[in-house]
Structure formats: structure tokens, C-alpha cells
Amino acid sequence: MIPFASQRANGQDLVAHLLNEQDNDYLRIVSMEGCIAEDLHGAFAEWELQAKTLTNAKNYLYSLSTNPKDPLDEEQMLDYIDRVEQAIGLVGQSLTIVEHIKSDRMHWHAAWSRIDAENEKAIPISFDRQKLMMTRDYARDHQIDLPEGYYKKFERTQEKDKDYNLGEKYQFETTGLSKEERT
């Protein structure tokens, strides 16, 4: 299960994707929290209006999509979304959750409003890719297998540092001589 997330605008485009019945065999609105509207179009319009009137934020949404290899039950998925919410710093923000089944593959979408209407500001989200690495802890807690690359740590060796210096690489490509030969 690898999360795909981004800060974005154009909420109505996202709603069109979330409610797309042609490409999905099944869709269900699991949750709509923190909005007055009773449908997704209204909720996202509300959030856009808040962004325009209260802040200068262009990307007023935080969108998350998960596509687990093996289907998760609703309790597991809600736990995951709650953990993401805490890691990113969006606890208490307006939220929608939609479940899709497409070609017998269940996946989930969650979208939060980044606008803190009470304080009239957008909640800053930085380093979210690193924060989403909490997926490893979640997978461990629920005995879910993640792709092998999720567990690897990037390690640079001295040899790799020497070989991948861009200046050195350029010199080698133009002259055909290694650093040692040029020296």
C-alpha cells in the first residue's frame, strides 16, 4: 500500500473523479465531516469559498489516495486515514472519504480542507512525503506486506559519491578520462 498525496486546488475536478461511476464498478461516500453541505460538490465548493475569502491559499485541499495490494476492511482504512491526519497535522479539519472498487480492486480517497476557518489561515504542510512514511508502522501493526523498496534505507557509499559527482561525470563524458587519469 503506497499512498499518493498532494496539495491541490480545483476541488470540483476532484469531486468529478470521486463520483465517476463510469470508471468505477462501485463507489461509496464513507464520510463527510466538517461541512454544511450534504453532497460532495457542495462541500468542496464550501472549502473553495473559505480559501478565497479567508486566505490567499491556492492549493486549499490535501488529497490522499491509497491502493492496497490486498483489500483493507473499513476499520483498517479509517485507522490509516486517522494516522495520516495526525502525521500531516490536519486533525479536526473538514474531511471526505470515498471508497472505490474498480476491476475488483478496492481503493480509497480522502480529501481534507487545509483552511482553518477559525484562525483564517491555511494549514501549512511540509515534508509530507517523509511524514507519510508512517505507512511502515501502520503496515507492521496490521501485518500488511509493503513493496520491498518501502523498507530500504538509502545509503551512499564513498564509491558511489565519487562516481556520481556531476562535475566528475561531465568531465569523464567529455574527455573519456577518469578523475585519477586526469589528475
Side-chain angles (χ1 to χ4, degrees):
M1 177 170 93
I2 298 176
F4 297 97
S6 65
Q7 296 178 56
R8 58 173 294 162
N10 303 321
Q12 294 305 319
D13 291 346
L14 181 57
V15 171
H17 171 71
L18 295 177
L19 297 178
N20 185 347
E21 291 180 332
Q22 289 180 325
D23 293 341
N24 295 295
D25 302 328
Y26 172 80
L27 75 86
R28 176 173 71 103
I29 299 172
V30 177
S31 175
M32 283 181 43
E33 302 169 7
C35 53
I36 298 169
E38 295 180 7
D39 67 330
L40 287 182
H41 284 288
F44 281 70
E46 243 179 77
W47 299 345
E48 184 175 7
L49 182 63
Q50 287 177 341
K52 285 182 179 179
T53 58
L54 301 176
T55 72
N56 290 325
K58 290 181 176 53
N59 295 328
Y60 58 93
L61 297 172
Y62 189 77
S63 172
L64 171 74
S65 173
T66 59
N67 188 358
K69 180 178 145 188
D70 298 318
L72 303 177
D73 62 36
E74 187 169 330
E75 184 179 322
Q76 290 174 317
M77 198 64 232
L78 292 175
D79 179 34
Y80 181 73
I81 290 171
D82 183 53
R83 289 183 189 205
V84 168
E85 189 174 70
Q86 291 175 18
I88 299 297
L90 294 171
V91 174
Q93 288 303 110
S94 300
L95 165 69
T96 61
I97 303 171
V98 177
E99 173 187 8
H100 285 166
I101 297 178
K102 182 179 193 174
S103 304
D104 296 326
R105 178 184 52 85
M106 183 189 310
H107 60 281
W108 298 69
H109 299 271
W112 290 265
S113 169
R114 290 183 48 233
I115 306 304
D116 178 355
E118 188 175 310
N119 295 312
E120 297 184 8
K121 67 175 189 169
I123 295 173
I125 298 174
S126 56
F127 304 107
D128 60 327
R129 301 294 187 269
Q130 287 88 346
K131 292 174 183 174
L132 288 174
M133 292 304 281
M134 52 56 85
T135 301
R136 291 182 288 202
D137 298 330
Y138 173 82
R140 183 192 60 239
D141 294 346
H142 291 279
Q143 290 82 38
I144 297 171
D145 291 328
L146 291 175
E148 184 180 322
Y150 230 87
Y151 295 104
K152 289 183 180 177
K153 288 189 175 183
F154 181 72
E155 293 180 19
R156 298 184 78 170
T157 63
Q158 289 181 348
E159 186 65 30
K160 194 170 189 177
D161 284 343
K162 181 175 73 176
D163 290 346
Y164 286 100
N165 178 320
L166 292 177
E168 301 288 331
K169 183 178 177 186
Y170 176 75
Q171 286 290 327
F172 177 75
E173 289 173 354
T174 56
T175 65
L177 301 172
S178 69
K179 178 181 178 182
E180 291 78 19
E181 291 170 332
R182 281 194 323 275
T183 306

